[in-house]
Amino acid sequence: MYHSTSNPRASRSPCEELSGPRRGTSEIGSSASTRNPMADWQIREKRPLRGPRPEPAGPAVKNYITPAGLQRLKDEHVFLLSRERPAVVEVVAWAASNGDRSENADYLYGKRRLGQIDSRIRFLTKRIDAAVVVDPAAPRSGSAATRVFFGATVTYKDAAGLEHVVSIVGIDEVDLDRGYISWRSPLGNALMKASPGDRVELRAPAKTEHLEIIEVEYAPIPMDPFREPLGAQSTPKVERS
């Protein structure tokens, strides 16, 4: 009988290393053939997933926010969870009882709206859980009272000599019409930790602009409260006489 002296593993290709040992003609389709766990894993990876894979756990990103901004998120969360969602569920249940769901506009719209509400509730829950409340009006001692941090209202001069006033708030509180900018925005990053008289660089994709800090103030930053949106399902309908 012929005996080979070569190493059988050395002659195998990389594909054979992943797919397991070669099978003879009689082994293919045999119920007694040995299953390769690695091959099974590859097959499972290529199959379409039934749902999204869970994201790996990681450190939670801090959500710096003012007290009024956090209250607005909480009010919206309560409204969606206790009023709007139950009202939409009631409409969906009523529409489902009316027959064919595939051509039922009330049912299809209600299901889509319900998905939007649930997505918003999950988002608000994460933002509230990660909230770190900073009161802009809280007294600050030493150099912290004149340096730019979260909650500061800053007056600065641009390269053209024009003065601007901005307040640094959370990403859920941005209102450009009122000069409320996020602490994570390019302008917020440029102003951070600066003091009156300092010159900072605002780096933008098109150019780099030099800004001069004129004044830093810590005072209350007014926030609009949460208001029930127009057309909400839970809004009481006015009956006409």
Side-chain angles (χ1 to χ4, degrees):
M1 181 180 294
Y2 175 76
H3 296 279
S4 173
T5 58
S6 61
N7 185 347
R9 295 183 60 87
S11 61
R12 296 170 63 188
S13 67
C15 293
E16 291 174 335
E17 289 291 340
L18 288 175
S19 60
R22 295 181 179 178
R23 296 182 181 181
T25 306
S26 61
E27 293 180 10
I28 300 177
S30 172
S31 59
S33 61
T34 304
R35 297 179 62 184
N36 188 331
M38 181 62 74
D40 290 345
W41 173 82
Q42 287 181 305
I43 293 174
R44 287 196 299 271
E45 285 293 301
K46 293 178 181 178
R47 291 174 182 169
L49 300 174
R50 294 185 178 180
R53 293 183 176 181
E55 297 182 357
V61 179
K62 292 183 179 180
N63 177 29
Y64 289 101
I65 192 169
T66 66
L70 178 60
Q71 188 60 50
R72 185 168 61 185
L73 295 185
K74 289 182 176 180
D75 290 344
E76 182 183 359
H77 186 267
V78 170
F79 166 75
L80 292 175
L81 200 59
S82 63
R83 291 184 53 194
E84 184 69 356
R85 192 180 193 283
V88 174
V89 168
E90 184 178 351
V91 171
V92 170
W94 168 81
S97 66
N98 289 336
D100 186 5
R101 299 179 181 180
S102 62
E103 299 181 359
N104 190 327
D106 289 329
Y107 176 81
L108 295 177
Y109 171 79
K111 289 290 289 184
R112 182 167 62 250
R113 175 61 182 149
L114 193 59
Q116 294 171 348
I117 292 173
D118 288 342
S119 177
R120 181 64 178 174
I121 289 174
R122 289 192 296 270
F123 171 81
L124 290 173
T125 300
K126 291 181 180 179
R127 301 300 294 164
I128 293 171
D129 290 344
V132 178
V133 179
V134 178
D135 187 355
R140 291 162 172 78
S141 59
S143 62
T146 57
R147 297 182 68 187
V148 180
F149 295 102
F150 181 94
T153 296
V154 185
T155 303
Y156 69 91
K157 186 182 298 184
D158 61 19
L162 300 176
E163 289 191 0
H164 306 266
V165 179
V166 295
S167 296
I168 301 178
V169 297
I171 62 177
D172 300 306
E173 305 171 293
V174 173
D175 187 344
L176 298 182
D177 292 336
R178 303 174 72 174
Y180 296 175
I181 65 171
S182 166
W183 64 283
R184 300 184 68 179
S185 65
L187 179 55
N189 286 329
L191 298 175
M192 201 63 66
K193 297 183 180 182
S195 300
D198 290 349
R199 299 181 67 85
V200 299
E201 287 187 352
L202 172 59
R203 298 182 180 180
K207 63 177 181 178
T208 298
E209 187 175 0
H210 292 84
L211 312 175
E212 181 183 354
I213 310 301
I214 305 299
E215 184 182 7
V216 178
E217 180 187 12
Y218 287 94
I221 300 176
M223 289 286 169
D224 293 331
F226 170 74
R227 293 184 176 90
E228 184 175 316
L230 296 175
Q233 189 63 43
S234 59
T235 303
K237 305 299 186 292
V238 178
E239 296 184 1
R240 297 180 180 179
S241 57

